[in-house]
Coordinates of all heavy atoms in Angstrom, one line a residue:
G1 N -53.8 -41.4 16.2 CA -53.7 -39.9 16.3 C -53.8 -39.2 14.9 O -53.9 -38.0 14.8
T2 N -53.7 -40.0 13.8 CA -53.7 -39.5 12.5 C -55.2 -39.3 12.1 O -56.0 -40.2 12.0 CB -53.1 -40.4 11.5 OG1 -51.7 -40.7 11.8 CG2 -53.1 -39.8 10.1
V3 N -55.6 -38.0 11.9 CA -56.9 -37.8 11.4 C -57.0 -38.1 9.9 O -56.1 -37.7 9.2 CB -57.3 -36.3 11.6 CG1 -58.7 -36.0 11.0 CG2 -57.2 -35.9 13.0
H4 N -58.0 -38.9 9.5 CA -58.0 -39.4 8.1 C -59.4 -39.3 7.6 O -60.4 -39.5 8.2 CB -57.4 -40.8 8.0 CG -58.0 -41.8 9.0 ND1 -57.7 -41.8 10.3 CD2 -58.8 -42.8 8.8 CE1 -58.3 -42.8 10.9 NE2 -59.0 -43.4 10.0
R5 N -59.4 -39.0 6.3 CA -60.7 -38.8 5.5 C -60.5 -39.5 4.2 O -59.6 -39.1 3.4 CB -61.0 -37.4 5.3 CG -62.2 -37.1 4.5 CD -62.2 -35.7 3.9 NE -63.5 -35.4 3.2 CZ -63.7 -34.3 2.5 NH1 -62.7 -33.4 2.4 NH2 -64.9 -34.1 1.9
L6 N -61.3 -40.5 3.8 CA -61.3 -41.1 2.5 C -62.2 -40.4 1.5 O -63.3 -40.0 1.8 CB -61.8 -42.6 2.7 CG -60.8 -43.6 3.1 CD1 -61.5 -44.9 3.4 CD2 -59.7 -43.8 2.0
V7 N -61.6 -40.1 0.4 CA -62.3 -39.4 -0.7 C -62.4 -40.4 -1.9 O -61.4 -40.9 -2.3 CB -61.5 -38.1 -1.1 CG1 -62.2 -37.5 -2.3 CG2 -61.4 -37.2 0.0
N8 N -63.6 -40.6 -2.4 CA -63.9 -41.5 -3.5 C -64.0 -40.7 -4.8 O -65.1 -40.2 -5.1 CB -65.2 -42.2 -3.2 CG -65.5 -43.3 -4.1 OD1 -64.8 -43.5 -5.1 ND2 -66.5 -44.1 -3.8
S9 N -62.9 -40.6 -5.5 CA -62.8 -39.8 -6.7 C -63.6 -40.4 -7.8 O -64.3 -39.6 -8.6 CB -61.4 -39.5 -7.1 OG -60.7 -38.9 -6.0
G10 N -63.4 -41.7 -8.0 CA -64.0 -42.3 -9.2 C -65.3 -42.9 -9.0 O -65.9 -43.4 -10.0
G11 N -65.8 -43.0 -7.8 CA -67.1 -43.6 -7.5 C -67.1 -45.1 -7.2 O -68.1 -45.7 -6.9
D12 N -65.9 -45.7 -7.4 CA -65.9 -47.2 -7.2 C -64.7 -47.6 -6.3 O -64.1 -48.7 -6.5 CB -65.8 -47.9 -8.6 CG -64.6 -47.5 -9.4 OD1 -63.9 -46.5 -9.0 OD2 -64.3 -48.1 -10.4
L13 N -64.3 -46.8 -5.4 CA -63.2 -47.1 -4.5 C -63.5 -48.2 -3.5 O -64.4 -48.1 -2.7 CB -62.8 -45.8 -3.8 CG -61.5 -45.9 -2.9 CD1 -60.3 -46.3 -3.7 CD2 -61.3 -44.5 -2.2
E14 N -62.7 -49.3 -3.6 CA -62.9 -50.4 -2.7 C -61.5 -50.8 -2.1 O -60.5 -50.8 -2.7 CB -63.4 -51.7 -3.5 CG -64.8 -51.5 -4.0 CD -65.3 -52.8 -4.5 OE1 -64.9 -53.9 -4.1 OE2 -66.2 -52.8 -5.4
I15 N -61.6 -51.1 -0.8 CA -60.4 -51.2 0.0 C -60.5 -52.4 1.0 O -61.6 -52.6 1.5 CB -60.1 -49.9 0.8 CG1 -59.8 -48.8 -0.1 CG2 -58.9 -50.1 1.8 CD1 -59.7 -47.4 0.6
V16 N -59.4 -53.2 1.2 CA -59.4 -54.1 2.3 C -58.7 -53.3 3.4 O -57.6 -52.8 3.3 CB -58.5 -55.4 1.9 CG1 -58.3 -56.2 3.2 CG2 -59.3 -56.2 1.0
V17 N -59.4 -53.3 4.6 CA -58.9 -52.5 5.7 C -58.3 -53.5 6.7 O -59.0 -54.5 7.1 CB -60.0 -51.7 6.4 CG1 -59.4 -51.0 7.6 CG2 -60.6 -50.7 5.4
V18 N -57.1 -53.3 7.2 CA -56.4 -54.1 8.2 C -56.3 -53.3 9.4 O -55.6 -52.2 9.4 CB -55.1 -54.7 7.7 CG1 -54.4 -55.5 8.8 CG2 -55.2 -55.4 6.4
M19 N -56.9 -53.7 10.5 CA -56.9 -52.9 11.8 C -56.0 -53.6 12.8 O -56.1 -54.8 13.0 CB -58.3 -52.7 12.3 CG -59.1 -51.7 11.6 SD -58.5 -50.0 11.5 CE -58.2 -49.7 13.2
Q20 N -55.2 -52.9 13.5 CA -54.4 -53.4 14.6 C -55.4 -53.6 15.8 O -56.4 -52.9 15.9 CB -53.3 -52.4 15.0 CG -52.4 -52.8 16.1 CD -51.5 -51.7 16.5 OE1 -51.8 -50.5 16.4 NE2 -50.3 -52.0 17.1
N21 N -55.0 -54.4 16.7 CA -55.7 -54.6 18.0 C -57.2 -55.0 17.8 O -58.1 -54.3 18.2 CB -55.7 -53.3 18.8 CG -54.3 -52.9 19.2 OD1 -53.4 -53.7 19.5 ND2 -54.0 -51.6 19.2
S22 N -57.4 -56.1 17.1 CA -58.7 -56.6 16.9 C -59.6 -56.6 18.2 O -59.1 -57.1 19.2 CB -58.7 -58.1 16.4 OG -60.0 -58.6 16.2
G23 N -60.7 -56.0 18.1 CA -61.6 -55.9 19.2 C -61.7 -54.5 19.7 O -62.8 -54.0 20.2
L24 N -60.6 -53.8 19.7 CA -60.6 -52.4 20.2 C -61.3 -51.4 19.3 O -62.1 -50.6 19.7 CB -59.2 -51.9 20.5 CG -58.6 -52.3 21.9 CD1 -58.5 -53.8 22.1 CD2 -57.3 -51.7 22.2
P25 N -61.0 -51.4 18.0 CA -61.7 -50.5 17.1 C -63.2 -50.8 17.1 O -64.0 -49.8 17.1 CB -61.1 -50.9 15.7 CG -59.7 -51.4 16.0 CD -59.9 -52.2 17.2
E26 N -63.6 -52.1 17.2 CA -65.0 -52.4 17.3 C -65.6 -52.0 18.6 O -66.9 -51.8 18.6 CB -65.2 -53.9 17.1 CG -64.7 -54.5 15.7 CD -63.2 -54.7 15.6 OE1 -62.5 -54.4 16.6 OE2 -62.8 -55.2 14.6
A27 N -64.8 -51.7 19.6 CA -65.3 -51.3 20.9 C -65.2 -49.8 21.1 O -65.3 -49.4 22.3 CB -64.6 -52.1 22.0
G28 N -65.0 -49.1 20.0 CA -65.0 -47.6 20.2 C -63.7 -46.9 20.0 O -63.7 -45.7 20.3
D29 N -62.7 -47.5 19.5 CA -61.4 -46.8 19.3 C -61.4 -46.0 18.0 O -60.6 -46.2 17.1 CB -60.2 -47.8 19.3 CG -58.9 -47.2 18.9 OD1 -58.7 -46.0 19.3 OD2 -58.2 -47.8 18.1
A30 N -62.3 -45.2 17.9 CA -62.4 -44.2 16.8 C -63.3 -43.0 17.2 O -64.3 -43.3 17.8 CB -62.9 -44.8 15.5
V31 N -62.8 -41.9 17.0 CA -63.6 -40.7 17.4 C -63.8 -39.8 16.1 O -62.8 -39.4 15.4 CB -62.8 -39.9 18.5 CG1 -63.5 -38.6 18.8 CG2 -62.7 -40.7 19.7

């Protein structure tokens, strides 16, 4: 439910993303 937007201030922003419910985000759990 949290609307989120990543802003790359320095041009080299790299992140490891950890998602709950493996399989669901890949199946469309993002709008």
Side-chain angles (χ1 to χ4, degrees):
T2 304
V3 179
H4 49 289
R5 175 203 189 186
L6 276 169
V7 176
N8 189 350
S9 300
D12 58 352
L13 183 58
E14 293 188 26
I15 296 172
V16 169
V17 180
V18 181
M19 288 297 312
Q20 184 187 26
N21 300 323
S22 177
L24 273 63
E26 298 82 356
D29 171 38
V31 174

